[in-house]
Amino acid sequence: MPDPLRILRAVVTSPGLLQPDQLKEILQRYLQRLREHRDALDRLNVYPVPDGDTGTNMTLTVEAVVDEVEDAATMAEFAAGLAHGSLMGAQGNSGIILSQILRGLADAFGGHSSIGVTQLVEALEGASAAAYRAVGTPVEGTILTVLREAAEAARATGSPEGVGLADFLRRVYDRAEATLRRTPELLPVLREAGVVDAGGAGFLLLLGAFLEVVTGEEVIAPEVLAAAVDATVAIEGDATPDVADLRYEVMFLLASEDPGAGDRLRDAWAAVGDSIVVVGGQGTWNCHVHTDAIGPTIEAGIAFGTPSRIKVTDLLDQAADEAVHRSGFAPLAAFADAPLGVVAVAIGDGLAAVFRDAGVQGLARGGQTANPSVRDLLAVVDGVAATEVVVLPNNENIVPVAQQLDALSTKRVHVVPSTSVPEGIAAMFAYDPHGDPATVTAAMATAAAECRSGELTRAVRDAVTPVGEIATGDWLAVVDGDVTTIVREGLAAAVEALLVELVDGDAELVTIVLGADAEDEATDRAVSWLSEHRPDAELQVLEGGQPLYPYLVGVE
């Protein structure tokens, strides 16, 4: 595979036409740009809670595509690989939408031996139509708008009087960038947060990759994307971070004419991380750190030189992945051969046990910060014995991924669109392994919809939201997907605030799922509050073990 980080030359050997090798170069360059800007794209998310972020999901999706087209020799092979790789590798909402865009390109490219302006016009229009179809309720001011206006510019530019490929791409890119800058005007939540749409920014990088390969010139990402990193603040608090608790591994090469740049970076990183290694000299250093402050870590590099080959690894996600692979998942014998099976998405040994005991036959590791791909979910679905399978995504980002499975599996796949773990647990109360699949799925969906859910997490960056200003480290009560309360008094106070928001006098059953960071004091306070204020509600407390969210609460 060609090195995606080398400086690309102009590769168009026939005026106005792209061959499969050039299209593979474009995907390589796009992957390079996504990796470079992944943290910035992640930080464009409107709410400052840990989630399956846009930049990460787009990057993982394109990595799968690049692997799929590596050996393609003809345009037909390239188009087939582009379509299959984008579908199977798609992760999260942003990855699914991006996969639709790439599949739209594949549809337009497959019937041609080379690609010019005419085919690119068709490809962008097809991609826009496919992306709008993929979204149940399209919202303007998102990647959909940026893509649609890029397609409109392509149609206007690719007029009968003709235009060269480089000029065509410049005009399309310029229109898309202008639209991206306007997204805060179109979507109030972006305007309030002071950011542009993350998905739209990720799509702009694809157009930039086309332009870079065709012209051989570097396309500088707009400052509205870089500003997302600039807004990040340093870690606050009295205690020095413990390397065991630090979540991210950051690595990059640092180029600088300052002979002391490596030492200065090492000293600066001491305030925000640990496990620091900075080696090299003579203008180039290889730099490594564990940290919770990705933005300030990279900014420190920018202060002393030019970082390149930036790589950010989620150590918590990596550790959870290894733990699940070590432990495996075995369904209870009573459900192992059920004619109607269930696959659930969850993370944490405790939640795996909860779903197994409820009758789930297959578990896909995932949730907030860890969105499984279509390929991942499909492997779990195909691995259960049942010929018909219900899937519980248990996360809003994973619902559209699950909805791709029925068309790909040899089994009949039904999706209960659960958007939280408590909804998934509630749905399992309506599960009948021997019932009519359509009837059981409808009952499970009703049970999930009737469950209100809340969660407690910690802000990973400063933000301005409709409920007030959030500072890094604040506890956030999230009810049915919206931040409702900001708490600075500690975890016990935050749990009580979440219950006050979520559990009303009509509650019959309250389920509290304890995460890896739950505290006895906070749990006791939650139980006491419910006993005093909601004495008629039945309470069940489950050990979930999920990361980042110490308390999940469901109310039925």
Side-chain angles (χ1 to χ4, degrees):
M1 180 184 297
D3 181 357
L5 298 174
R6 67 183 174 85
I7 301 298
L8 294 174
R9 57 185 169 80
V11 294
V12 179
T13 56
S14 179
L17 296 176
L18 294 170
Q19 308 298 329
D21 284 347
Q22 283 83 62
L23 292 171
K24 287 192 283 187
E25 292 276 14
I26 288 168
L27 286 178
Q28 289 280 357
R29 175 52 64 97
Y30 183 35
L31 179 56
Q32 172 192 346
R33 291 307 189 206
L34 283 172
R35 286 170 172 166
E36 290 173 357
H37 297 288
R38 181 175 67 179
D39 185 54
L41 292 170
D42 286 348
R43 290 176 183 275
L44 286 175
N45 285 347
V46 174
Y47 282 114
V49 298
D51 199 356
D53 289 321
T54 298
T56 298
N57 286 333
M58 283 186 152
T59 301
L60 294 173
T61 300
V62 176
E63 284 177 349
V65 173
V66 168
D67 288 343
E68 193 77 26
V69 303
E70 178 181 3
D71 297 327
T74 66
M75 192 64 72
E77 291 172 350
F78 174 82
L82 182 62
H84 187 259
S86 60
L87 175 63
M88 301 302 291
Q91 299 202 183
N93 255 349
S94 54
I96 285 290
I97 294 175
L98 178 59
S99 76
Q100 296 303 306
I101 294 172
L102 297 176
R103 290 171 69 188
L105 301 184
D107 289 344
F109 293 171
H112 304 276
S113 60
S114 58
I115 302 303
V117 169
T118 300
Q119 291 75 35
L120 286 173
V121 172
E122 178 186 348
L124 287 170
E125 290 183 330
S128 179
Y132 270 88
R133 285 195 302 268
V135 178
T137 306
V139 176
E140 297 302 331
T142 64
I143 183 175
L144 298 176
T145 308
V146 179
L147 172 60
R148 176 174 51 76
E149 296 208 4
E152 291 173 357
R155 171 58 64 186
T157 300
S159 56
E161 48 265 40
V163 65
L165 185 57
D167 286 342
F168 168 83
L169 289 168
R170 283 193 184 94
R171 296 179 194 181
V172 172
Y173 180 91
D174 289 346
R175 173 75 168 272
E177 181 180 344
T179 304
L180 176 66
R181 293 178 184 276
R182 287 197 302 110
T183 54
E185 301 172 18
L186 301 172
L187 197 57
V189 69
L190 296 177
R191 182 171 62 250
E192 292 170 3
V195 297
V196 296
D197 178 68
F203 169 65
L204 185 69
L205 295 177
L206 173 59
L207 295 179
F210 269 92
L211 190 54
E212 286 186 317
V213 171
V214 168
T215 65
E217 301 171 0
E218 183 179 6
V219 175
I220 305 300
E223 73 283 356
V224 289
L225 194 158
V229 177
D230 296 338
T232 307
V233 299
I235 295 175
E236 297 178 356
D238 298 330
T240 300
D242 178 358
V243 67
D245 297 327
L246 296 175
R247 177 162 184 189
Y248 298 99
E249 176 190 70
V250 178
M251 294 184 289
F252 55 69
L253 292 180
L254 180 71
S256 176
E257 296 179 359
D258 178 3
D263 293 335
R264 291 188 230 283
L265 177 62
R266 190 183 296 110
D267 292 341
W269 272 359
V272 295
D274 209 329
S275 191
I276 298 168
V277 180
V278 179
V279 296
Q282 298 182 337
T284 304
W285 289 263
N286 197 324
C287 311
H288 170 283
V289 63
H290 289 176
T291 184
D292 280 334
I294 300 172
T297 298
I298 297 174
E299 288 172 357
I302 294 171
F304 302 116
T306 303
S308 64
R309 303 191 184 186
I310 300 171
K311 181 180 180 182
V312 179
T313 301
D314 187 332
L315 300 174
L316 178 61
D317 186 36
Q318 205 173 58
D321 192 27
E322 292 172 2
V324 168
H325 283 297
R326 285 196 304 270
S327 61
F329 182 86
L332 295 179
F335 296 96
D337 297 320
L340 176 62
V342 179
V343 167
V345 180
I347 189 168
D349 291 344
L351 281 177
V354 167
F355 280 111
R356 181 193 62 229
D357 293 346
V360 165
Q361 289 88 358
L363 185 79
R365 186 197 61 80
Q368 302 290 62
T369 78
N371 294 166
S373 68
V374 173
R375 190 191 306 271
D376 296 333
L377 274 177
L378 184 61
V380 179
V381 167
D382 287 345
V384 303
T387 56
E388 296 205 36
V389 179
V390 177
V391 176
L392 297 172
N394 298 334
N395 184 282
E396 184 177 11
N397 277 346
I398 304 172
V399 171
V401 177
Q403 290 170 337
Q404 309 294 311
L405 299 174
D406 186 51
L408 299 171
S409 177
T410 56
K411 304 176 186 292
R412 180 77 174 92
V413 180
H414 310 267
V415 177
V416 172
S418 54
T419 60
S420 69
V421 165
E423 288 184 14
I425 293 172
M428 287 306 298
F429 282 107
Y431 170 54
D432 177 359
H434 300 283
D436 172 68
T439 303
V440 173
T441 301
M444 294 176 71
T446 299
E450 292 177 349
C451 174
R452 294 196 70 202
S453 63
E455 53 200 20
L456 201 63
T457 190
R458 209 158 200 174
V460 295
R461 62 181 181 276
D462 293 355
V464 178
T465 74
V467 297
E469 293 187 4
I470 294 174
T472 303
D474 286 349
W475 286 107
L476 307 179
V478 182
V479 175
D480 294 331
D482 295 321
V483 176
T484 59
T485 308
I486 305 165
V487 180
R488 299 187 172 94
E489 290 78 15
L491 183 56
V495 173
E496 181 173 316
L498 175 61
L499 295 176
V500 170
E501 284 282 344
L502 183 63
V503 187
D504 60 23
D506 296 328
E508 297 178 359
L509 173 64
V510 178
T511 301
I512 298 178
V513 183
L514 306 181
D517 299 319
E519 298 175 359
D520 290 344
E521 178 187 356
T523 303
D524 291 343
R525 185 160 170 178
V527 173
S528 296
W529 186 90
L530 288 167
S531 177
E532 179 181 353
H533 297 279
R534 302 290 184 263
D536 296 332
E538 180 184 349
L539 172 64
Q540 63 174 350
V541 179
L542 306 174
E543 293 283 350
Q546 69 276 2
L548 300 176
Y549 289 76
Y551 291 91
L552 304 175
V553 181
V555 180
E556 299 173 59

